[in-house]
Amino acid sequence: MTDSQFQILCLAAFAEFQKLVPKDTGNMAYNASKIKFPSPDVCEIYVDEKVAPYVPYTNEPWIAERWRGKKNPNENWFGKAAAYIAAYVAQQTKGVVLDDSPKNIDGEDK
């Protein structure tokens, strides 16, 4: 894969990522979501907490009294988005996603 092909793939993956970011005002998806290329073979897709300092709270369970026990509808959105993007890149490159997370004795994630 050439550097140009890699960048095109990453930009397409970034567009897919933006679709998965929770949207209320759109700030997280359209202003805080970023892509950068620190080297020709590395692409970083992330949400800039300087632009959206509330981003960690969008991903976590709601525990404050004000939510009265309601579940955060966006809980774990980032993990789900990361898994989707990994599968998307694997599909586009005809590769596979390897799960190297630690497993317990039953084969489930720890």
Side-chain angles (χ1 to χ4, degrees):
M1 174 178 289
T2 67
D3 290 351
S4 177
Q5 290 170 323
F6 177 71
Q7 285 193 349
I8 290 167
L9 173 61
C10 290
L11 291 169
F14 179 67
E16 292 294 315
F17 175 77
Q18 284 183 299
K19 293 176 190 176
L20 301 170
V21 176
K23 294 166 190 71
D24 183 16
T25 65
N27 184 53
M28 266 189 353
Y30 305 117
N31 299 318
S33 292
K34 309 276 182 160
I35 184 171
K36 69 180 178 180
F37 295 90
S39 67
D41 60 347
V42 174
C43 167
E44 294 178 4
I45 295 173
Y46 63 100
V47 180
D48 187 342
E49 289 187 43
K50 292 177 187 161
V51 178
Y54 50 85
V55 70
Y57 307 107
T58 66
N59 197 53
E60 301 298 324
W62 286 346
I63 57 173
E65 281 290 317
R66 70 183 270 191
W67 300 115
R68 297 185 181 100
K70 293 180 185 172
K71 183 172 170 39
N72 178 355
N74 300 311
E75 191 174 316
N76 195 32
W77 74 266
F78 193 84
K80 293 173 186 172
Y84 175 84
I85 295 305
Y88 174 83
V89 169
Q91 177 187 27
Q92 297 300 310
T93 59
K94 298 180 179 28
V96 295
V97 176
L98 299 177
D99 180 6
D100 62 352
S101 60
K103 305 286 183 197
N104 65 24
I105 197 161
D106 298 323
E108 297 176 8
D109 289 340
K110 286 187 179 179

